[in-house]
């Protein structure tokens, strides 16, 4: 089974033969092979390591693995989804490595992690990692391996202290966190000595060659897909959006220099192309790219595009997609309420949304999926009525186009202007209300689980005290009930769920990630927050709990 999965891979790079003294590395994805191999970030880091002759890299997934070194020196994890933390702990146990960094000794490998989850807020998981790479892997990964080479024979303590001086490398054990009370706010976060930087700065790659698939396989969750990153970050800067704020500035791949050559390379091995990015259609030469893909020689290529900006949905885009075997298009509208769109900085009006739907149908697409959100800070019940009205007007304007509204609950994310807001307790009721109103209209409504949104909020705003909770939750079976049971057992030892999830935090307090610097300083985030709250129906005092 194992060999057939790896045997189905078509590589788009040439692995190097490692030299005799190469560092034995295990690079893991904490999920099944079909999921992990579909992650572009995982593919690119693996290929980068496999092309170095000073590294011998083996891959590890929850269901299969390559031949693993007996004594690895480095074990890495790429993390795209918070709830995969359970699999990290399971894989560490499988490798017979203590799950807490404090229990590891000189003979244990260095455990590192990277990816969007850890770059946003690594604190709930900090006790499980020796090293966390904050930001883009392009430069950071090489800096990490090169620095490790220099201290390879040194003690673990020396290794970690040396690595901590590399920009973007965060060594959690070298920082002490104090709390006002056992179940209260963070009081201070300080390095254990003056040689360790007080602030760790996320690293940003500024080149114009972005990522592309390094492997194509029919065993991936997206079968045989070749992925190309067209843009990185998003210029729109919706106030809640991690994909924009955490990855600024907006960067675009050079069309002739890297994008078209990458696409040509990929289409030699597969006929399925995915264009990735938070705002693909905002590439300045997107129309030229579309013309290129529309050539007759690519008539048999299936094309998928990540979520697109509403006012870039032209008839040409819809026609190209329809011809390339795509039936549907996804656009994020957040809400039908003009006021809420101003609060979140969504530069969009209902006429543009209706026009996008008309263009989609005219171009030959059969369905349109819209993404919305409930519980946006400042939302009132009448804002939901406006979302229902918007969906009705789209249906009326474009009869025959299948309409779906996917809807999530607002979850605060670190390094965004909305990081201080809690989850609105009315969100679950509001999802149910939308369901009730839209179903009779023949509009498909797909709500995301409110309960799992609560867990997502817990992890996205959590601090180090959660590591005990996460271990208990895993022991109790990793279900929603397990979190409740773990909180009950740790009562008075850590803050309650309410503190992490529903409470609005003061803009004065120290946040769990205050020592980790994202692309924008707090002063800028506070300006953006003030812009947002200026549109609230009732003026907001210094952030007080909204939902009490």
């Amino acid at each position: 089974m194992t060999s057939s999965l790896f045997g189905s891979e078509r590589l788009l790079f040439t692995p190097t033969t490692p030299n005799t003294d190469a560092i034995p590395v295990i690079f893991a994805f904490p999920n099944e092979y079909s999921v992990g191999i579909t992650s572009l970030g995982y593919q690119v880091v693996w290929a980068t390591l496999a092309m170095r002759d000073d590294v011998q890299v083996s891959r590890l997934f929850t269901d299969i693995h390559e031949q693993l070194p007996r004594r690895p020196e480095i074990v890495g994890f790429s993390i795209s989804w918070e709830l995969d933390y359970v699999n990290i702990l399971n894989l560490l146990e499988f490798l017979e490595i203590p799950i807490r960094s404090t229990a590891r000794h000189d003979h244990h490998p260095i455990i590192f992690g990277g990816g969007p989850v850890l770059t946003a807020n690594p604190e709930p998981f900090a006790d499980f990692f020796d090293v966390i790479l904050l930001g883009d892997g392009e430069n950071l990964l090489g800096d990490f391996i090169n620095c490790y080479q220099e201290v390879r024979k040194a003690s673990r303590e020396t290794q970690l202290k040396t690595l901590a001086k590399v920009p973007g490398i965060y060594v959690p054990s070298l920082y002490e966190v104090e709390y006002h009370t056992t179940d209260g706010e963070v009081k201070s976060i300080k390095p254990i000595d003056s040689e360790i930087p007080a602030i760790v700065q996320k690293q940003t790659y500024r080149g114009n060659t972005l990522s592309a698939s390094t492997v194509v396989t029919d065993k991936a969750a997206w079968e045989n897909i070749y992925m190309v990153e067209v843009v990185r970050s998003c210029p729109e800067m919706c106030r809640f959006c991690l994909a924009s704020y955490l990855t600024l500035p907006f960067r675009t791949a050079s069309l002739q220099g890297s994008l078209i050559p990458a696409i040509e390379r990929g289409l030699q091995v597969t006929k399925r192309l995915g264009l990735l990015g938070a705002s693909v259609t905002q590439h300045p030469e997107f129309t030229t790219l579309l013309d290129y893909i529309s050539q007759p020689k690519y008539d048999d290529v299936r094309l998928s595009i990540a979520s697109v900006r509403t006012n870039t949905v032209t008839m040409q885009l819809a026609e190209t997609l329809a011809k390339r075997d795509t039936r549907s298009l996804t656009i994020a509208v957040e809400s039908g309420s003009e006021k809420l769109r101003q609060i979140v900085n969504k530069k969009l009006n209902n006429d543009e949304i209706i026009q996008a739907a008309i263009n989609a149908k005219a171009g030959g697409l059969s369905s349109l999926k819209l993404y919305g959100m409930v519980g946006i800070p400042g939302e009132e019940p009448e804002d939901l009525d406006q979302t229902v009205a918007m969906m009705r007007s789209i249906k009326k304007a474009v009869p025959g186009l299948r309409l779906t509204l996917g809807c999530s609950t607002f979850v605060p994310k670190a390094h965004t202007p909305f990081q201080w807001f809690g989850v609105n307790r009315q969100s679950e009721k509001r999802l149910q209300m939308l369901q009730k109103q839209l179903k009779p209209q023949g509009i498909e409504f797909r709500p995301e689980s409110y309960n799992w949104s609560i867990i997502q909020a817990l992890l996205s705003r959590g601090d180090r005290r959660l590591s005990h909770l996460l271990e208990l939750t895993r022991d109790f079976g990793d279900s929603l009930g397990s979190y409740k049971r773990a909180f009950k057992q740790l009562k008075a030892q850590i803050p309650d769920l309410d503190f992490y999830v529903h409470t609005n935090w003061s803009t004065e307090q120290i946040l769990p990630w205050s020592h980790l610097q994202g692309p924008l300083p707090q002063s800028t985030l506070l300006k953006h927050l003030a812009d947002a709250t200026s549109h609230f129906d009732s003026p907001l005092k210094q952030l007080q709990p909204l939902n009490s």
Side-chain angles (χ1 to χ4, degrees), residues 2 26-30 58-70 72 75 77 86-99 108-109 111 474:
T2 300
I26 295 173
F27 186 48
F29 191 94
S58 309
R59 290 176 291 164
L60 169 64
F61 302 91
T62 54
D63 52 348
I64 66 159
H65 56 79
E66 292 175 314
Q67 189 177 349
L68 301 176
R70 218 164 43 83
V75 175
F77 290 91
V86 172
N87 294 327
I88 295 172
L89 305 189
N90 294 342
L91 288 171
L92 286 172
E93 282 182 350
F94 164 74
L95 295 168
E96 298 180 351
I97 297 166
I99 60 178
H108 287 120
I111 309 300
R474 179 183 76 128

Side-chain angles (χ1 to χ4, degrees), residues 25-275:
V25 174
I26 295 173
F27 186 48
F29 191 94
N31 209 310
E32 293 175 355
Y33 172 83
S34 65
V35 177
I37 208 63
T38 311
S39 158
L40 186 55
Y42 181 82
Q43 285 188 21
V44 170
V45 172
W46 164 59
T48 306
L49 293 170
M51 287 190 285
R52 289 183 69 121
D53 61 8
D54 59 350
V55 167
Q56 166 102 45
V57 64
S58 309
R59 290 176 291 164
L60 169 64
F61 302 91
T62 54
D63 52 348
I64 66 159
H65 56 79
E66 292 175 314
Q67 189 177 349
L68 301 176
R70 218 164 43 83
R71 302 234 10 217
E73 291 180 38
I74 295 176
V75 175
F77 290 91
S78 175
I79 305 151
S80 318
W81 198 48
E82 291 96 337
L83 299 173
D84 274 347
Y85 84 86
V86 172
N87 294 327
I88 295 172
L89 305 189
N90 294 342
L91 288 171
L92 286 172
E93 282 182 350
F94 164 74
L95 295 168
E96 298 180 351
I97 297 166
I99 60 178
R100 286 186 167 267
S101 60
T102 48
R104 295 178 199 136
H105 302 294
D106 281 6
H107 64 278
H108 287 120
I110 295 285
I111 309 300
F112 84 88
V117 169
L118 293 178
T119 296
N121 175 22
E123 289 306 285
F125 316 101
D127 290 345
F128 308 133
F129 289 96
D130 300 312
V131 163
I132 289 168
L133 307 184
L134 298 179
D136 296 331
E138 275 89 349
N139 308 332
L140 200 45
L141 191 68
D143 293 346
F144 168 54
I145 299 292
N146 295 343
C147 180
Y148 176 78
Q149 279 284 22
E150 290 168 25
V151 288
R152 190 176 175 188
K153 301 288 184 246
S155 69
R156 188 179 191 81
E157 187 187 356
T158 303
Q159 287 176 345
L160 293 178
K161 284 190 167 178
T162 309
L163 285 164
K165 293 171 193 164
V166 177
I169 293 187
Y170 172 43
V171 179
S173 61
L174 301 180
Y175 294 79
E176 273 179 328
V177 185
E178 270 189 78
Y179 305 94
H180 285 289
T181 55
T182 326
D183 56 357
E185 295 166 14
V186 175
K187 186 179 180 184
S188 68
I189 307 167
K190 294 189 180 111
I192 59 168
D193 69 46
S194 58
E195 287 183 22
I196 308 301
I199 300 280
V200 188
Q201 177 81 47
K202 173 193 168 294
Q203 294 303 288
T204 303
Y205 165 71
R206 294 178 186 273
N208 62 1
T209 299
L210 300 180
S211 304
S213 285
T214 59
V215 56
V216 169
T217 172
D218 58 359
K219 301 293 190 277
W222 296 345
E223 238 174 83
N224 288 321
I225 194 162
Y226 176 77
M227 298 172 285
V228 187
E229 190 184 16
V230 177
V231 299
R232 192 172 291 182
S233 194
C234 173
E236 294 306 305
M237 294 172 73
C238 295
R239 307 281 187 233
F240 57 82
C241 183
L242 191 65
S244 177
Y245 274 85
L246 187 67
T247 56
L248 289 168
F250 180 59
R251 287 145 289 164
T252 59
S254 152
L255 189 68
Q256 301 300 340
S258 70
L259 210 47
I260 285 176
I263 290 171
E264 284 175 347
R265 211 165 46 244
L267 293 181
Q268 285 171 9
V269 298
T270 184
K271 296 294 175 199
R272 189 168 179 202
L273 176 65
L275 302 182

Side-chain angles (χ1 to χ4, degrees), residues 263-308:
I263 290 171
E264 284 175 347
R265 211 165 46 244
L267 293 181
Q268 285 171 9
V269 298
T270 184
K271 296 294 175 199
R272 189 168 179 202
L273 176 65
L275 302 182
L276 301 193
S279 196
V280 171
T281 50
Q282 281 177 280
H283 190 290
E285 295 175 272
F286 185 74
T287 316
T288 315
L289 177 62
L290 218 50
D291 289 341
Y292 171 79
I293 297 167
S294 302
Q295 293 176 91
K297 68 173 176 175
Y298 293 139
D299 277 351
D300 55 350
V301 169
R302 282 179 69 191
L303 179 64
S304 318
I305 292 190
S307 177
V308 300

Side-chain angles (χ1 to χ4, degrees), residues 5 86 143 146 201 227 274 320 362 394 407 453 478 497 530-531 544:
L5 281 178
V86 172
D143 293 346
N146 295 343
Q201 177 81 47
M227 298 172 285
T320 306
I394 299 171
C407 201
S453 296
D478 186 34
L497 183 73
D531 279 351
Q544 298 297 327

Side-chain angles (χ1 to χ4, degrees), residues 199 201 237 245 248 415-417 419-420 511 514 516-529:
I199 300 280
Q201 177 81 47
M237 294 172 73
Y245 274 85
L248 289 168
H415 309 288
T416 70
Q419 62 187 356
W420 291 280
L511 302 173
S514 288
L516 309 173
Q517 176 63 54
L520 296 177
Q522 179 150 313
S523 55
T524 306
L525 296 181
L526 286 168
K527 273 190 198 126
H528 292 191
L529 174 69

